[in-house]
Amino acid sequence: MTSYPLPSQDYAARFVLDTLPVHGRLVRLDETLNAILDAHAYPDAIATLLGEACVLAVMVGSALKFEGRLIMQAQGQGVVRYVVADYDTRGSLRGFCRFDPEELKALEAENAGKFQSLGAQQLLGQGTFIMTLEPDGMGDRYQGVTPIEGDSLSLCAEHYFAQSEQIPTQIKLAVSRETTPKGERWRAAGAMIQALAGDDSRGDTREAFEHVRALFATLGEEELTDFELEAERLLYRLFHEDGVRLSPPKPIAKLCRCSQTRVEELVRSFSADEQSDMLEPDGQVHITCEYCSKTFFVAP
């Protein structure tokens, strides 16, 4: 396999199989994920869910054929009301989660002692899984919506691709908290395989995809989040018999779009009476970004 120098531990990379009509993506997040989580004091279950969402947004967004944004969100009636990850095709990522802390404590107490950790469906309850595509410029905005199904966001995404895109897809996501020389740090990673559409030259691709899916099933979560295991070695372990090629990796970094100018424009969009109702005791409007927790102050 061709080896590419990684710009950091935060990247997305496409891979293809030489002999089979299947391609895929590998995503790993380290500094980026920690920068996103450091803006909030999330409990472990919430940090894990948001980590999965971030990886999934990068995985799907990095495959887009246009410049723009992919917003992955899931909203429900459970402990977690809303989780969102916003990926820009230039490589920036942000995300946050809104949840009820007291309800989470009760749910964790109810599930204490169980082997399986809380998954997406337990945390979100009944709700919807949404992928929104926003091309730059004048392109049409597209949104696909499916019910939340399965214990993880990976299963929700597979269901989305089956229903909305009709593309055979398999996804694995993994989030872990590691002890490193820098202290406790989060790592998140994911891999996805998809079948190419059948045609006159390829024929029916379903049998080939089933073969690759059987190999993909042997991929462990600990391998995904073992960042000492290089991407080339990881993919070679899985697919060396079929030949696998890795494309140059694309770096990912945490970047929030909030700014003083945008916040001022938002406040000015309200009427004078509405702005008056928003004033704090210091005579200013306080706006806190849900993504990065930065607070902006606007004088009326």
Side-chain angles (χ1 to χ4, degrees), residues 110-264:
E110 183 182 320
N111 287 270
K114 293 184 180 179
F115 176 75
Q116 192 171 12
S117 59
L118 295 173
Q121 194 167 55
Q122 288 174 292
L123 291 168
L124 287 154
Q126 296 295 316
T128 52
F129 178 85
I130 306 167
M131 289 276 193
T132 304
L133 309 181
E134 292 189 355
D136 287 347
M138 302 301 292
D140 292 334
R141 185 173 184 263
Y142 169 79
Q143 189 171 81
V145 182
T146 58
I148 292 175
E149 295 190 1
D151 292 333
S152 68
L153 289 181
S154 59
L155 293 174
C156 292
E158 289 174 8
H159 181 69
Y160 166 85
F161 279 109
Q163 296 296 312
S164 300
E165 307 292 333
Q166 298 183 346
I167 300 174
T169 302
Q170 195 85 37
I171 296 172
K172 284 196 175 186
L173 303 174
V175 180
S176 66
R177 189 169 60 178
E178 309 287 339
T179 301
T180 74
K182 297 180 181 180
E184 293 287 323
R185 297 184 60 77
W186 289 91
R187 288 176 173 175
M192 173 175 71
I193 55 171
Q194 289 186 315
L196 297 174
D199 56 24
D200 291 340
S201 61
R202 295 192 190 104
D204 191 336
T205 61
R206 287 176 294 183
E207 183 175 345
F209 184 73
E210 289 303 314
H211 165 72
V212 176
R213 188 162 69 170
L215 297 175
F216 190 70
T218 66
L219 175 61
E221 291 186 4
E222 68 283 353
E223 292 178 289
L224 278 172
T225 56
D226 178 5
F227 288 7
E228 300 303 314
L229 177 61
E230 297 176 348
E232 293 88 350
R233 288 174 55 207
L234 174 63
L235 294 173
Y236 183 80
R237 282 183 181 182
L238 291 171
F239 306 123
H240 63 276
E241 291 183 356
D242 299 302
V244 58
R245 288 182 289 119
L246 183 71
S247 297
K250 183 172 186 175
I252 310 298
K254 187 258 186 182
L255 178 65
C256 195
R257 296 183 182 84
C258 65
S259 69
Q260 184 69 33
T261 299
R262 288 192 174 191
V263 171
E264 289 178 358

Side-chain angles (χ1 to χ4, degrees), residues 14-17 20-25 167 192-196:
R14 181 176 184 264
F15 61 87
V16 297
L17 301 187
L20 296 172
V22 177
H23 66 151
R25 295 216 163 241
I167 300 174
M192 173 175 71
I193 55 171
Q194 289 186 315
L196 297 174

